[in-house]
Amino acid sequence: VYVLIARTNPLLAFYHDGYLRVAMEPYDIKNLNNRFAHITNISVQKEHPGFFHQREHKILSFDQLRGYLQEKQPIHDSPRDLVEEVIKPQIKGALRSALMAAEGKLDERRGQFSLLGADMLITQGSGIEDFGVSLLEFNKNPDLELHNKELSRILPPLIRETLDIVLEVE
């Protein structure tokens, strides 16, 4: 996901949906040396021999995640939007906590802004609605390369909206 810090004093930050990355190979706890199964960073994944053939299926939107989760929900359960009701609130809560911890420690230069990439880890527990979200890191120079159709869909509007907000704030 992305966070725009449009101003630091007072802190003014905006959330923007990002995308989900899926590892090129299945997760295997017995083979911790397989970077293609344990690291989803595009700079690692694009070294996989199958990346360019599979890339459309390895970078997903939140809508695609929603569809996947709806398929997995038991038929007797009431249909919930697990992305909007469970996952995104946890993402935003983790981001809010991190930004609040940094408030007052950020540079205060007029006209300065930061578009950050936030790497989140989404884990699933024993139940279909049992998710945990952790903030792994902020990237001050997020990858904005259009690696696939999904990134081509979300990144240009992200850049336009970022510039519109920054110009409005100033």
Coordinates of all heavy atoms in Angstrom, one line a residue, residues 52-110:
F52 N 8.1 -13.5 -16.1 CA 7.5 -12.7 -17.2 C 6.3 -13.4 -17.8 O 5.4 -12.8 -18.3 CB 8.5 -12.3 -18.2 CG 9.5 -11.2 -17.7 CD1 10.7 -11.6 -17.2 CD2 9.1 -9.9 -17.6 CE1 11.6 -10.6 -16.7 CE2 9.9 -9.0 -17.0 CZ 11.2 -9.3 -16.6
H53 N 6.3 -14.7 -17.6 CA 5.1 -15.5 -18.1 C 4.0 -15.5 -17.1 O 2.8 -15.6 -17.4 CB 5.5 -16.9 -18.5 CG 6.4 -17.0 -19.7 ND1 7.8 -17.0 -19.6 CD2 6.1 -17.0 -21.0 CE1 8.3 -17.0 -20.8 NE2 7.3 -17.0 -21.7
Q54 N 4.3 -15.4 -15.8 CA 3.4 -15.6 -14.7 C 3.1 -14.2 -14.0 O 2.2 -14.2 -13.1 CB 3.9 -16.5 -13.7 CG 4.1 -17.9 -14.2 CD 4.6 -18.9 -13.1 OE1 4.2 -18.7 -11.9 NE2 5.5 -19.8 -13.4
R55 N 3.7 -13.2 -14.4 CA 3.6 -11.9 -13.6 C 2.2 -11.4 -13.5 O 1.8 -10.7 -12.5 CB 4.5 -10.8 -14.2 CG 4.1 -10.4 -15.6 CD 5.1 -9.4 -16.1 NE 4.7 -9.0 -17.5 CZ 5.5 -8.5 -18.3 NH1 6.8 -8.3 -18.0 NH2 5.1 -8.2 -19.5
E56 N 1.3 -11.7 -14.4 CA -0.1 -11.2 -14.3 C -0.8 -11.9 -13.2 O -1.8 -11.4 -12.7 CB -0.9 -11.4 -15.6 CG -0.3 -10.6 -16.8 CD -0.4 -9.0 -16.6 OE1 -1.2 -8.5 -15.9 OE2 0.5 -8.4 -17.1
H57 N -0.3 -13.0 -12.8 CA -1.0 -13.8 -11.7 C -0.3 -13.7 -10.4 O -0.7 -14.3 -9.4 CB -1.1 -15.3 -12.1 CG -1.7 -15.5 -13.4 ND1 -3.1 -15.3 -13.6 CD2 -1.2 -15.8 -14.6 CE1 -3.4 -15.5 -14.9 NE2 -2.3 -15.9 -15.5
K58 N 0.8 -12.9 -10.3 CA 1.6 -12.8 -9.1 C 1.5 -11.4 -8.5 O 2.0 -11.2 -7.4 CB 3.1 -13.2 -9.4 CG 3.3 -14.6 -9.9 CD 2.8 -15.6 -8.9 CE 3.0 -17.0 -9.4 NZ 2.5 -18.0 -8.4
I59 N 0.9 -10.5 -9.1 CA 0.6 -9.2 -8.6 C -0.9 -8.9 -8.7 O -1.4 -8.9 -9.8 CB 1.4 -8.1 -9.4 CG1 2.9 -8.4 -9.3 CG2 1.1 -6.7 -8.8 CD1 3.8 -7.5 -10.1
L60 N -1.5 -8.9 -7.5 CA -3.0 -8.9 -7.5 C -3.5 -7.6 -6.9 O -2.9 -7.0 -6.0 CB -3.5 -10.1 -6.6 CG -2.9 -11.5 -6.9 CD1 -3.4 -12.5 -5.9 CD2 -3.3 -11.9 -8.3
S61 N -4.7 -7.3 -7.2 CA -5.5 -6.2 -6.6 C -6.2 -6.6 -5.4 O -6.4 -7.8 -5.1 CB -6.5 -5.6 -7.6 OG -7.5 -6.5 -7.8
F62 N -6.7 -5.7 -4.6 CA -7.5 -6.0 -3.5 C -8.8 -6.6 -3.9 O -9.4 -7.5 -3.2 CB -7.8 -4.8 -2.6 CG -6.6 -4.5 -1.7 CD1 -5.7 -3.4 -1.9 CD2 -6.4 -5.2 -0.5 CE1 -4.7 -3.1 -1.1 CE2 -5.4 -4.9 0.4 CZ -4.5 -3.9 0.1
D63 N -9.3 -6.2 -5.1 CA -10.5 -6.8 -5.7 C -10.3 -8.3 -6.0 O -11.2 -9.1 -5.7 CB -11.0 -6.1 -6.9 CG -11.6 -4.8 -6.6 OD1 -12.1 -4.5 -5.5 OD2 -11.7 -3.9 -7.6
Q64 N -9.1 -8.6 -6.5 CA -8.8 -10.0 -6.8 C -8.7 -10.8 -5.5 O -9.2 -12.0 -5.4 CB -7.5 -10.2 -7.6 CG -7.7 -9.7 -9.0 CD -6.4 -9.5 -9.7 OE1 -5.5 -8.9 -9.3 NE2 -6.3 -10.1 -10.9
L65 N -8.1 -10.2 -4.4 CA -8.1 -10.9 -3.1 C -9.5 -11.1 -2.6 O -9.8 -12.2 -2.1 CB -7.2 -10.1 -2.1 CG -7.2 -10.6 -0.7 CD1 -6.6 -12.0 -0.6 CD2 -6.5 -9.6 0.2
R66 N -10.3 -10.1 -2.7 CA -11.7 -10.2 -2.3 C -12.4 -11.4 -3.0 O -13.1 -12.2 -2.3 CB -12.5 -8.9 -2.6 CG -13.9 -8.9 -2.1 CD -14.6 -7.5 -2.4 NE -13.9 -6.5 -1.6 CZ -13.1 -5.5 -2.1 NH1 -12.8 -5.5 -3.4 NH2 -12.6 -4.6 -1.3
G67 N -12.2 -11.5 -4.3 CA -12.9 -12.6 -5.0 C -12.4 -14.0 -4.5 O -13.1 -14.9 -4.4
Y68 N -11.1 -14.1 -4.3 CA -10.5 -15.3 -3.8 C -11.1 -15.7 -2.4 O -11.5 -16.8 -2.2 CB -9.0 -15.2 -3.7 CG -8.3 -16.3 -3.0 CD1 -8.0 -17.5 -3.7 CD2 -7.9 -16.2 -1.7 CE1 -7.4 -18.6 -3.0 CE2 -7.3 -17.3 -1.0 CZ -7.1 -18.4 -1.7 OH -6.5 -19.5 -1.1
L69 N -11.2 -14.7 -1.5 CA -11.7 -15.0 -0.2 C -13.2 -15.3 -0.2 O -13.6 -16.2 0.5 CB -11.5 -13.8 0.7 CG -10.0 -13.5 1.0 CD1 -9.9 -12.2 1.8 CD2 -9.3 -14.6 1.8
Q70 N -13.9 -14.7 -1.1 CA -15.4 -15.0 -1.2 C -15.5 -16.4 -1.7 O -16.5 -17.1 -1.3 CB -16.1 -14.0 -2.1 CG -16.2 -12.7 -1.5 CD -16.8 -11.6 -2.4 OE1 -16.8 -11.7 -3.6 NE2 -17.2 -10.5 -1.8
E71 N -14.7 -16.9 -2.6 CA -14.7 -18.3 -3.0 C -14.5 -19.3 -1.9 O -15.0 -20.4 -1.9 CB -13.7 -18.5 -4.1 CG -14.0 -18.0 -5.5 CD -12.9 -18.2 -6.5 OE1 -12.0 -19.0 -6.2 OE2 -12.9 -17.5 -7.5
K72 N -13.6 -18.9 -1.0 CA -13.2 -19.8 0.1 C -14.1 -19.8 1.3 O -14.0 -20.6 2.2 CB -11.8 -19.4 0.6 CG -10.7 -19.5 -0.4 CD -10.6 -21.0 -0.9 CE -9.5 -21.1 -1.9 NZ -9.5 -22.4 -2.5
Q73 N -15.0 -18.8 1.4 CA -15.9 -18.7 2.5 C -16.9 -19.8 2.5 O -17.5 -20.1 1.4 CB -16.7 -17.4 2.5 CG -15.9 -16.2 3.1 CD -16.8 -15.0 3.1 OE1 -17.2 -14.5 2.1 NE2 -17.0 -14.5 4.3
P74 N -17.2 -20.5 3.6 CA -18.2 -21.5 3.6 C -19.6 -21.0 3.1 O -19.9 -19.8 3.4 CB -18.3 -22.0 5.0 CG -17.0 -21.6 5.6 CD -16.6 -20.3 4.9
I75 N -20.3 -21.8 2.4 CA -21.6 -21.3 1.8 C -22.6 -20.9 2.9 O -23.4 -20.0 2.6 CB -22.2 -22.4 0.9 CG1 -23.3 -21.9 0.0 CG2 -22.7 -23.6 1.8 CD1 -22.8 -21.2 -1.2
H76 N -22.6 -21.4 4.1 CA -23.5 -21.1 5.1 C -23.2 -19.8 5.8 O -24.1 -19.2 6.5 CB -23.7 -22.2 6.2 CG -22.4 -22.6 6.8 ND1 -21.9 -21.8 7.9 CD2 -21.5 -23.6 6.6 CE1 -20.7 -22.4 8.2 NE2 -20.5 -23.4 7.5
D77 N -22.0 -19.3 5.7 CA -21.7 -18.0 6.3 C -22.3 -16.8 5.6 O -22.5 -16.9 4.4 CB -20.1 -17.8 6.3 CG -19.4 -18.6 7.3 OD1 -20.2 -19.3 8.1 OD2 -18.2 -18.7 7.4
S78 N -22.6 -15.8 6.3 CA -23.1 -14.6 5.6 C -21.9 -14.0 4.9 O -20.8 -14.0 5.4 CB -23.7 -13.6 6.7 OG -22.7 -13.2 7.5
P79 N -22.2 -13.5 3.7 CA -21.1 -13.0 2.9 C -20.6 -11.7 3.5 O -21.3 -10.7 3.6 CB -21.7 -12.8 1.5 CG -23.1 -12.7 1.7 CD -23.4 -13.5 3.0
R80 N -19.3 -11.7 3.9 CA -18.7 -10.5 4.5 C -17.6 -10.1 3.5 O -17.0 -10.9 2.9 CB -18.0 -10.8 5.8 CG -19.0 -11.0 7.0 CD -18.3 -11.1 8.3 NE -17.6 -9.9 8.6 CZ -16.7 -9.8 9.6 NH1 -16.3 -10.9 10.2 NH2 -16.1 -8.7 9.8
D81 N -17.4 -8.8 3.5 CA -16.3 -8.3 2.7 C -15.1 -8.3 3.6 O -14.8 -7.3 4.3 CB -16.6 -6.9 2.1 CG -15.5 -6.4 1.2 OD1 -14.4 -6.9 1.2 OD2 -15.8 -5.4 0.4
L82 N -14.3 -9.4 3.6 CA -13.2 -9.5 4.5 C -12.1 -8.5 4.2 O -11.4 -8.1 5.2 CB -12.6 -11.0 4.4 CG -13.6 -12.1 4.8 CD1 -13.0 -13.4 4.6 CD2 -14.0 -11.9 6.3
V83 N -12.0 -8.1 3.0 CA -10.9 -7.1 2.7 C -11.3 -5.8 3.4 O -10.4 -5.2 4.1 CB -10.8 -6.9 1.1 CG1 -9.9 -5.7 0.8 CG2 -10.2 -8.2 0.5
E84 N -12.5 -5.3 3.2 CA -12.9 -4.0 3.7 C -13.2 -4.0 5.2 O -12.9 -3.1 5.9 CB -14.2 -3.5 3.0 CG -13.9 -3.1 1.6 CD -12.9 -2.0 1.4 OE1 -12.8 -1.1 2.2 OE2 -12.2 -2.0 0.3
E85 N -13.7 -5.2 5.7 CA -14.1 -5.2 7.1 C -13.0 -5.8 8.1 O -13.1 -5.5 9.3 CB -15.4 -6.1 7.2 CG -16.6 -5.6 6.5 CD -17.8 -6.5 6.6 OE1 -17.9 -7.2 7.6 OE2 -18.6 -6.5 5.6
V86 N -12.1 -6.5 7.5 CA -11.1 -7.2 8.4 C -9.7 -6.7 8.1 O -8.9 -6.3 8.9 CB -11.2 -8.7 8.3 CG1 -10.2 -9.4 9.2 CG2 -12.6 -9.2 8.8
I87 N -9.3 -6.9 6.8 CA -7.9 -6.7 6.4 C -7.5 -5.2 6.4 O -6.5 -4.8 7.0 CB -7.6 -7.4 5.1 CG1 -7.7 -8.9 5.3 CG2 -6.2 -7.0 4.6 CD1 -7.7 -9.7 4.0
K88 N -8.3 -4.4 5.6 CA -7.9 -3.0 5.5 C -7.9 -2.2 6.8 O -7.0 -1.4 7.0 CB -8.8 -2.3 4.4 CG -8.3 -2.6 3.0 CD -9.1 -1.7 2.0 CE -8.8 -2.0 0.6 NZ -9.6 -1.1 -0.3
P89 N -8.9 -2.4 7.7 CA -8.8 -1.7 9.0 C -7.5 -2.0 9.7 O -6.9 -1.2 10.4 CB -10.0 -2.2 9.7 CG -11.0 -2.6 8.6 CD -10.2 -3.2 7.5
Q90 N -7.0 -3.3 9.6 CA -5.8 -3.6 10.3 C -4.6 -2.9 9.6 O -3.7 -2.5 10.3 CB -5.6 -5.1 10.3 CG -6.5 -5.9 11.3 CD -6.2 -7.3 11.3 OE1 -5.1 -7.7 11.7 NE2 -7.2 -8.2 11.0
I91 N -4.6 -2.9 8.3 CA -3.6 -2.2 7.6 C -3.5 -0.7 8.0 O -2.5 -0.2 8.3 CB -3.8 -2.3 6.0 CG1 -3.5 -3.7 5.6 CG2 -2.9 -1.3 5.3 CD1 -3.9 -4.0 4.1
K92 N -4.7 -0.1 7.9 CA -4.7 1.3 8.3 C -4.3 1.6 9.7 O -3.7 2.6 10.1 CB -6.1 1.9 8.0 CG -6.4 1.9 6.5 CD -7.8 2.4 6.2 CE -8.0 2.4 4.7 NZ -9.4 2.8 4.3
G93 N -4.7 0.7 10.6 CA -4.4 0.8 12.0 C -2.8 0.7 12.2 O -2.3 1.5 13.0
A94 N -2.2 -0.2 11.6 CA -0.8 -0.4 11.7 C 0.0 0.9 11.1 O 0.9 1.4 11.7 CB -0.3 -1.6 10.9
L95 N -0.5 1.4 10.0 CA 0.1 2.6 9.4 C -0.1 3.8 10.3 O 0.8 4.6 10.6 CB -0.6 2.9 8.0 CG -0.3 1.8 7.0 CD1 -1.1 2.2 5.7 CD2 1.2 1.7 6.6
R96 N -1.3 3.9 10.9 CA -1.6 5.0 11.8 C -0.7 5.0 13.0 O -0.1 6.0 13.4 CB -3.1 5.0 12.2 CG -3.5 6.1 13.1 CD -5.0 6.1 13.5 NE -5.9 5.9 12.3 CZ -6.6 4.8 12.0 NH1 -6.5 3.7 12.8 NH2 -7.3 4.8 10.9
S97 N -0.5 3.8 13.6 CA 0.4 3.7 14.7 C 1.8 4.1 14.4 O 2.5 4.8 15.2 CB 0.4 2.2 15.2 OG -0.9 1.9 15.8
A98 N 2.3 3.6 13.2 CA 3.7 4.0 12.8 C 3.8 5.5 12.6 O 4.8 6.1 13.0 CB 4.1 3.2 11.6
L99 N 2.8 6.1 11.9 CA 2.9 7.5 11.7 C 2.8 8.3 12.9 O 3.5 9.3 13.1 CB 1.8 7.9 10.7 CG 2.0 7.4 9.2 CD1 0.8 7.7 8.4 CD2 3.2 8.0 8.6
M100 N 2.0 7.9 13.9 CA 1.9 8.6 15.1 C 3.2 8.5 15.9 O 3.6 9.5 16.6 CB 0.7 8.1 16.0 CG -0.7 8.2 15.3 SD -1.1 9.9 14.9 CE -1.4 10.5 16.5
A101 N 3.8 7.4 15.8 CA 5.1 7.2 16.5 C 6.2 8.2 15.9 O 7.1 8.6 16.6 CB 5.6 5.8 16.5
A102 N 6.1 8.4 14.6 CA 7.1 9.3 13.9 C 6.7 10.7 14.0 O 7.6 11.6 13.7 CB 7.2 8.8 12.5
E103 N 5.5 11.1 14.3 CA 5.1 12.5 14.4 C 6.0 13.3 15.2 O 6.4 12.9 16.3 CB 3.6 12.6 14.9 CG 3.1 14.0 14.7 CD 1.6 14.0 15.0 OE1 1.1 13.1 15.6 OE2 1.0 15.0 14.6
G104 N 6.4 14.4 14.8 CA 7.3 15.3 15.5 C 8.8 15.0 15.2 O 9.7 15.7 15.6
K105 N 9.1 13.9 14.6 CA 10.5 13.5 14.3 C 10.8 13.6 12.8 O 11.9 13.3 12.3 CB 10.7 12.0 14.7 CG 10.5 11.8 16.2 CD 10.6 10.3 16.6 CE 10.4 10.2 18.1 NZ 9.4 9.2 18.4
L106 N 9.8 14.0 12.0 CA 9.9 14.1 10.6 C 10.4 15.5 10.2 O 10.1 16.5 10.9 CB 8.6 13.8 9.9 CG 8.0 12.5 10.1 CD1 6.6 12.4 9.6 CD2 8.9 11.4 9.6
D107 N 11.2 15.7 9.1 CA 11.7 17.0 8.7 C 10.5 17.9 8.4 O 9.4 17.4 7.9 CB 12.5 16.8 7.4 CG 13.8 16.2 7.6 OD1 14.3 16.2 8.7 OD2 14.4 15.7 6.6
E108 N 10.6 19.2 8.7 CA 9.6 20.1 8.5 C 9.9 21.2 7.5 O 10.1 22.3 7.8 CB 9.2 20.8 9.9 CG 8.7 19.9 10.9 CD 8.3 20.6 12.2 OE1 8.0 21.8 12.2 OE2 8.4 19.9 13.2
R109 N 10.1 20.8 6.3 CA 10.4 21.7 5.2 C 9.2 22.0 4.4 O 8.5 21.1 3.9 CB 11.6 21.2 4.3 CG 12.9 21.3 5.0 CD 14.0 20.9 4.1 NE 14.6 19.7 4.6 CZ 15.2 18.7 4.0 NH1 15.2 18.7 2.7 NH2 15.7 17.7 4.6
R110 N 8.9 23.3 4.2 CA 7.8 23.7 3.4 C 7.9 23.1 2.0 O 9.0 23.2 1.4 CB 7.7 25.2 3.4 CG 6.5 25.7 2.6 CD 6.3 27.2 2.9 NE 5.4 27.8 2.0 CZ 4.1 27.7 2.0 NH1 3.5 26.9 2.9 NH2 3.3 28.3 1.1

